[in-house]
Amino acid sequence: VDTLSQSLNPHTLRNAYICSIIPRSKTIIKFFSLPTVDPDEIEKMIEFEIEQHIPFAPHKCVFDYDTLYQKDGQTHLILVAIKKDEIEKHLQLLEQAGIHPSAIDISSLTLHNTLSSAESQHGRTIHIYIGPDCTDINVVEDGKLKTSRGIPWGSKNLAEDLSKKFNVSLEI
């Protein structure tokens, strides 16, 4: 917390749009379709879908969903959920550092949004981000996010595996 707060100038943070990123591995992301394009019907169906797709009680999580696209009378959606205690821990850490985020996003979705604006919207693209503790993988087809996975394996694990395989120390 001290390192984070010391590295940020309070003057720089004032009036800034701050988007804090939560690791994909802390969330559940589900893709599904509903047999309607009516926003009111979608809103009513979402709670049922949460109960079907999320392995913990809806009152114990924070969730959001977004329409990916609509086709042939169906709405294709993405549902993102995270346990409330995970969000609370994340926000407490930021608060202790004097940071007040304007938004919270998920690492794999941030990766998708950033890269999809710069790439071709045709064909299949795979985004892979290897972080220190986890890896995010997105599959995008014709500009639409089709699936997203988080794997609890990252660059630290890679370094440890290589160290063991080649019998070298990780110490510098």
Side-chain angles (χ1 to χ4, degrees):
V1 172
D2 291 337
T3 303
L4 183 59
S5 60
Q6 290 170 6
S7 66
L8 297 170
N9 179 338
H11 180 70
T12 304
L13 294 177
R14 191 173 337 132
N15 298 325
Y17 180 86
I18 300 170
C19 183
S20 182
I21 310 299
I22 291 186
R24 164 66 174 89
S25 60
K26 302 278 185 190
T27 67
I28 294 174
I29 297 179
K30 296 292 181 178
F31 296 85
F32 60 95
S33 300
L34 295 177
T36 183
V37 294
D38 181 278
D40 293 331
E41 289 181 20
I42 291 170
E43 191 71 34
K44 291 175 186 172
M45 293 178 181
I46 286 295
E47 192 160 325
F48 174 76
E49 292 297 326
I50 290 169
E51 291 174 8
Q52 297 301 307
H53 294 288
I54 306 303
F56 36 86
H59 70 277
K60 292 185 177 183
C61 72
V62 176
F63 69 90
D64 197 7
Y65 68 94
D66 196 14
T67 298
L68 297 172
Y69 61 97
Q70 294 178 324
K71 184 177 179 182
D72 299 328
Q74 289 199 337
T75 301
H76 301 268
L77 300 133
I78 180 173
L79 172 67
V80 179
I82 185 169
K83 289 184 176 179
K84 283 183 181 178
D85 63 332
E86 289 290 343
I87 284 284
E88 289 166 1
K89 283 190 280 187
H90 186 82
L91 290 174
Q92 278 179 337
L93 176 70
L94 293 172
E95 178 71 30
Q96 289 171 2
I99 298 169
H100 308 283
S102 306
I104 296 176
D105 206 350
I106 310 303
S107 58
S108 59
L109 299 180
T110 301
L111 177 68
H112 167 68
N113 292 335
T114 302
L115 294 177
S116 65
S117 64
E119 66 191 21
S120 168
Q121 298 294 311
H122 302 290
R124 179 179 288 169
T125 304
I126 298 175
H127 304 151
I128 301 173
Y129 167 73
I130 302 174
D133 300 308
C134 64
T135 298
D136 296 336
I137 302 170
N138 293 337
V139 177
V140 179
E141 289 182 13
D142 298 326
K144 295 175 180 71
L145 183 62
K146 292 295 183 178
T147 190
S148 176
R149 295 285 182 260
I151 302 168
W153 184 92
S155 59
K156 287 180 186 176
N157 304 95
L158 176 62
E160 290 169 3
D161 291 351
L162 290 172
S163 171
K164 288 176 188 171
K165 181 175 182 170
F166 295 108
N167 198 26
V168 294
S169 172
L170 291 175
E171 302 298 318
I172 295 177

